[in-house]
Amino acid sequence: MNALRRHRALSRIWASDPGWKGWFTTVNHTDLGRMFLVVATFFFVVGGILAMLIRAQLASPRSAFLGPDHYNQIFTMHGTIMMFLFAIPFFEGLAVYLLPKMLGTRDLAFPRLTAYGFWCYVFGGSMMIFALLAGVAPDSGWFMYPPLSSTIGAPGINSDFWLIGITFVEISAISAAVEITVTVLRYRAPGMKLSQMPIFAWYALVTAVMILTGFPPLILGSILLELERAFGLPFFQVAQGGDALLWQHLFWLFGHPEVYIIFLPAAGAISTILPVMARTTLMGYGWIVAAAVSLGVLSFGLWVHHMFTTGIPHMGLAFFSAASTLVAVPTAVQIFAWIGTLWKGRPEMHLPMLWLLAFFATFVIGGLTGVMVAIVPFDWQAHDTYFIVAHLHYVLVGGFVFPMIAALYYWMPHFTGRKTYFKLGHAAFWLVVPGFHGTFLMLHWAGLLGMRRRIDSYESGQGWEAINIIASISGFVMAIGFALVVIDVVVNAVVAIRGSRDPWGAGTLDWAMPTPAAPYNFASLAHVTSRDPLYDDPKLPVRLARGEGYLGDPDRARRETLSVDIATGAPRYVVVFPGNTALPMLMSAVTGLFFLGMLLKAYWLVPISALGVIACALIWVRGLGSRVPEGALPVGRGLSLATAAEAADPPGWWGSVFLLLANGTFFGSLLFGYAFLFSIAPNWPPPAYLEPGPLPLLLVLLGAGLAFIGPRFDTLTGQGATLVGLILIAGAALPLLSGSTDPTRHAYDATVWVFVGYGLLHCVVSLLMWSVVAGRRLTGHSAQTSLGTKRIARLWSDYTLLVALLTDAAIGLPGVLT
Amino acid sequence: MIAQLWWVLLAGATLIFLFVAGLIAWAWRRPSGETDERRFVIWLGLAFPMIVLAALLAYGLIVGERLLPRATPDLVRVHAEARQWDWRFRYDDLPGLETDNVLHIPADRPVDVAITTADVVHAFWVPRLAGKLDAVPGHVNVLRIEADAPGRYEGLGSEFNGVGYRDHRFTVIAHDDAGWQAFLQGETP
């Protein structure tokens, strides 16, 4: 079979549906990556327009352009859109598009999940846009501090749009994070050791794990606040034992890692692009990996630095101040390793390099002002002034937008298969970067002169007029520059001339394919033994196209790739991917109905759509894996491997592990919130602690025992015991709640209800999983091909019984102790 | 003292920025070739920021400690309660009196302001007297302020609190001894 016929055969297998239908049924990461990037860019434009409205309003004193009500919606939505609907999804899009290509595989671990996440993002984002157009957008600031964002300060539907819309969008962040983690760990080119991964994959891995542990506190906070708004559960109302500070803790537990979740992917792009631009290899690969990991870990110790002014004891402040300045160290390691890379090589001034220089100039200033505000006494003065606005734009625009534009221009030949042809990009650069500094350098000064953030206008005579008019004009210049970038990309994608493969002379596998990428990425999978396979073997792309790697033979006529061992990269099993389907979009639409029911208070819709989601999920898993073992299949280069369906640790098991990491963080945040209210909130103890007596405890212990032992026996009896155990655990909820029928009485009662609800939800999920296992067994799946499914179900039921035991202890202990 | 801290920070930041910019610019000037990884990663990446940050942190901590409220015999205690969108002040030395949007204090004496709120989160900030401190429902945060000279000082709510945020202001009037005594006698100054 020659290269062209192989290309045709593989294309038939992997191609998305033709025409408009393909948009809705594609599960291909190249398509979805592009779609993610386009939609994220759309939201960047929307957020940018909002920013221009802000600058128009503030250009002159006593402006009557916008009233405070509209102004509040606009700045809230500017922050919300840029953070949740632009930055994170843009990273997801880039990672979705690039990772399989860089890692030398054919798709992400869970193609349908990619699509599901994408549609959740689109539908959730649409809700936010609708709110904006209808004039009922959130208006309490992107940080949504209650009580201002709760029923007391915001009785309208505005806050609900934020809480529900953003939580919906977070599903896509969690999906993408699970996907990225499993892909990086298990879906690499055979032979590629962890230490040989492209540096971008390391950054993506750290970012993904941070999303898994950083987003759950926010999701929990949003759910609690929505429960308070919708049903009066008083988590943040001080009179009934709630505390507004609980929100601030949960929000910044997310919010600070978020800053690094945004910065790290950009740093990954820089570490990839910079060495290529300097015609050398990256200096200090190991150090950079260590720096990225330690940034990820340290960033979780920093959330309190957003709360320096909330009245936290001084020594506590000193600790967090130290931790805050400490993050400058791994950042410095990266910056200096990059500079060392420039020294090592011969840097060339292409457009991506130009943007990287803009990054250096901007981000270093942002980092230095960041160190300033980490010094507590200085922060007391600068907090909530334009100094902070300027600082955060230096960090986020300098540390994310500029490197992402560098990435855009670097990978544009890959996205489009064309040469970057027009010089529009240079003009755009010289508008954006001076425009940016003209805007935000000035605003530091306004902050030091006492200009507060978020005021909708100001009086003349405070020395702010000149600063603001210069900032506004520069802001418009910057916006014109960004518009030029977008136009440049579109024009290049449509009319530029065809370019050659690997125009920059890079060494990573993403350039070892014809561009634009074929739907299957690689006609056969490379065997990788170093960090820059293309430098070792410039002929590699041709040899892969000829089918000299793994899985070059499309005879089995299904989408196949290899999964490898985490550390060594030795091939472990063959993965068979699902084909095109509209199920992910349908499922996310039904998920959207669930959120819409909550938003519009049409509560009848909520259980119906929940059942709909379950139905979709059952269809989803039905097609997975074959009924009978296929045995070892030849995969090329003399190797034979079994399929994932016969493995004890199929991709779904790994996905569950990382989903449970996020889930466990969610539960941990709930425990933290409970302990926080218990020990810090005024108006505790509640009128009465629950004294559930021995019955629920007995039920839970008995149920947990059965649900623990049952899965360890591979018989229908064992599965039956598991089901009974789970039902017993669920049954314990009734006597438990009998003492607290009113969750609106006190934050304690409200928390108990959330605990029980969380436990019940997991009982239902585990019951469904074990029903699927039993069902598969009854419909003739072999023991070998049910092994993985069973271990996935066991993971979830083990987690459920752990939750049940902890919940019981958490609820029961205060009553026993007092 | 915070102003001095600012100038130290600004000078240091400018030096570091120029240093980094110089290093980058030099990459184009120098001939390419072997570059010592250890010099960049360990000395510049690890040691340099650690030393600078440790010094800075100690300095910040000392400044912070000096700004901390301490027990003194001539301490005056007042209460500030924020709401959408005004401020109400009460005085330990003058029970029963409540002033709206005007806080009276004696000049040259330390004053503890006990800050809380009747509704949403606010923040108390008199830029010329002290840093800001939040007013959180159900919590009382104490801020030490001291005016060096009699006069009027502008105060601001500095935590976003809804549509009236812009005009959420108050005035601090610092009295000289005689003026403060007169205020305590219940005379409107």
Side-chain angles (χ1 to χ4, degrees), chain A residues 329-413:
Chain A
V329 175
T331 315
V333 167
Q334 293 172 81
I335 298 265
F336 286 109
W338 291 330
I339 295 176
T341 308
L342 288 178
W343 278 46
K344 210 172 88 173
R346 279 179 294 109
E348 292 171 1
M349 203 58 98
H350 299 293
L351 194 49
M353 188 68 222
L354 219 49
W355 283 102
L356 290 187
L357 289 180
F359 150 78
F360 275 112
T362 313
F363 187 73
V364 169
I365 295 177
L368 291 168
T369 52
V371 171
M372 291 181 190
V373 292
I375 305 297
V376 176
F378 183 76
D379 186 63
W380 284 337
Q381 283 298 341
H383 205 93
D384 274 281
T385 70
Y386 264 85
F387 192 88
I388 302 294
V389 174
H391 157 69
L392 74 89
H393 282 88
Y394 264 79
V395 174
L396 293 176
V397 178
F400 184 77
V401 179
F402 291 172
M404 281 299 138
I405 296 180
L408 199 61
Y409 278 112
Y410 176 77
W411 277 292
M412 194 135 79

Side-chain angles (χ1 to χ4, degrees), chain A residues 345-696:
Chain A
R346 279 179 294 109
E348 292 171 1
M349 203 58 98
H350 299 293
L351 194 49
M353 188 68 222
L354 219 49
W355 283 102
L356 290 187
L357 289 180
F359 150 78
F360 275 112
T362 313
F363 187 73
V364 169
I365 295 177
L368 291 168
T369 52
V371 171
M372 291 181 190
V373 292
I375 305 297
V376 176
F378 183 76
D379 186 63
W380 284 337
Q381 283 298 341
H383 205 93
D384 274 281
T385 70
Y386 264 85
F387 192 88
I388 302 294
V389 174
H391 157 69
L392 74 89
H393 282 88
Y394 264 79
V395 174
L396 293 176
V397 178
F400 184 77
V401 179
F402 291 172
M404 281 299 138
I405 296 180
L408 199 61
Y409 278 112
Y410 176 77
W411 277 292
M412 194 135 79
H414 200 293
F415 294 139
T416 63
R418 294 168 195 270
K419 256 191 179 124
T420 38
Y421 185 67
F422 300 100
K423 294 291 173 205
L424 217 51
H426 285 81
F429 176 85
W430 290 110
L431 289 175
V432 169
V433 177
F436 173 83
H437 287 272
T439 310
F440 291 105
L441 204 57
M442 301 303 285
L443 290 179
H444 283 109
W445 186 19
L448 292 174
L449 289 177
M451 184 168 169
R452 289 172 292 162
R453 302 170 74 166
R454 305 183 182 113
I455 49 172
D456 59 290
S457 68
Y458 52 91
E459 296 295 320
S460 50
Q462 299 176 89
W464 302 348
E465 292 98 327
I467 298 173
N468 276 292
I469 186 74
I470 294 172
S472 290
I473 292 171
S474 307
F476 293 127
V477 171
M478 168 169 57
I480 294 167
F482 278 129
L484 279 188
V485 171
V486 175
I487 292 170
D488 190 31
V489 172
V490 173
V491 169
N492 267 297
V494 179
V495 298
I497 53 170
R498 290 277 161 195
S500 57
R501 188 187 57 72
D502 198 6
W504 308 109
T508 42
L509 283 175
D510 42 333
W511 299 102
M513 60 178 68
T515 54
Y520 54 84
N521 279 349
F522 300 96
S524 62
L525 303 183
H527 189 91
V528 172
T529 50
S530 80
R531 271 177 214 153
D532 295 293
L534 279 184
Y535 291 158
D536 302 342
D537 179 8
K539 288 259 173 286
L540 183 68
V542 181
R543 294 202 295 106
L544 292 182
R546 277 199 214 124
E548 290 175 25
Y550 298 96
L551 293 178
D553 188 357
D555 277 355
R556 287 189 286 270
R558 55 185 187 186
R559 302 182 180 184
E560 288 183 343
T561 194
L562 292 180
S563 174
V564 300
D565 181 77
I566 290 181
T568 65
R572 281 283 176 264
Y573 46 73
V574 179
V575 176
V576 182
F577 283 131
N580 301 327
T581 163
L583 182 64
M585 194 190 72
L586 182 71
M587 180 153 150
S588 83
V590 179
T591 314
L593 286 181
F594 178 90
F595 285 102
L596 212 57
M598 287 295 298
L599 180 68
L600 301 176
K601 305 201 186 304
Y603 294 120
W604 55 270
L605 198 56
V606 173
I608 295 177
S609 44
L611 288 176
V613 171
I614 292 175
C616 288
L618 289 176
I619 300 173
W620 188 296
V621 296
R622 203 184 52 165
L624 279 176
S626 48
R627 279 159 186 272
V628 286
E630 297 178 70
L633 306 170
V635 297
R637 294 173 64 111
L639 193 69
S640 287
L641 293 170
T643 64
E646 290 156 57
D649 60 338
W653 187 83
W654 285 94
S656 291
V657 167
F658 291 106
L659 194 53
L660 284 175
L661 173 67
N663 200 347
T665 314
F666 182 93
F667 187 65
S669 306
L670 182 59
L671 287 172
F672 163 81
Y674 181 49
F676 178 84
L677 289 179
F678 183 85
S679 52
I680 307 278
N683 299 324
W684 276 65
Y689 283 117
L690 284 190
E691 283 169 40
L695 180 61

Side-chain angles (χ1 to χ4, degrees), chain B residues 25-150:
Chain B
W26 185 241
W28 268 264
R29 293 269 160 174
R30 73 187 288 278
S32 71
E34 273 314 294
T35 306
D36 185 11
E37 179 175 319
R38 203 140 47 135
R39 190 165 57 192
F40 274 94
V41 174
I42 297 184
W43 288 109
L44 287 174
L46 283 174
F48 168 62
M50 277 191 187
I51 294 165
V52 172
L53 292 175
L56 200 58
L57 211 56
Y59 180 46
L61 203 58
I62 292 166
V63 174
E65 283 290 333
R66 284 201 208 147
L67 294 173
L68 276 188
R70 260 168 239 300
T72 47
D74 57 347
L75 183 66
V76 176
R77 203 174 152 83
V78 299
H79 301 265
E81 189 186 67
R83 64 188 64 220
Q84 289 171 322
W85 286 270
D86 70 320
W87 289 87
R88 296 180 189 177
F89 301 101
R90 286 178 295 112
Y91 306 84
D92 271 9
D93 294 339
L94 205 63
L97 178 70
E98 188 174 270
T99 54
D100 259 19
N101 292 326
V102 180
L103 169 63
H104 297 271
I105 60 166
D108 270 330
R109 277 175 71 183
V111 178
D112 266 0
V113 189
I115 301 161
T116 191
T117 167
D119 42 45
V120 305
V121 177
H122 301 271
F124 177 97
W125 190 31
V126 187
R128 287 166 61 200
L129 298 185
K132 76 165 226 178
L133 200 60
D134 286 3
V136 185
H139 296 263
V140 177
N141 290 328
V142 178
L143 180 71
R144 173 71 56 89
I145 60 175
E146 187 169 344
D148 295 335

Side-chain angles (χ1 to χ4, degrees), chain A residues 91 95 99 177 180-185 188 194 197 199-212 264 293 566 658:
Chain A
F91 155 67
L99 272 181
I180 289 167
T181 314
V182 178
T183 304
V184 171
L185 293 179
R188 304 194 299 268
L194 267 187
M197 288 201 302
I199 190 78
F200 184 80
W202 272 109
Y203 277 103
L205 178 64
V206 174
T207 309
V209 173
M210 286 179 73
I211 289 178
L212 292 177
L264 283 173
V293 173
I566 290 181
F658 291 106

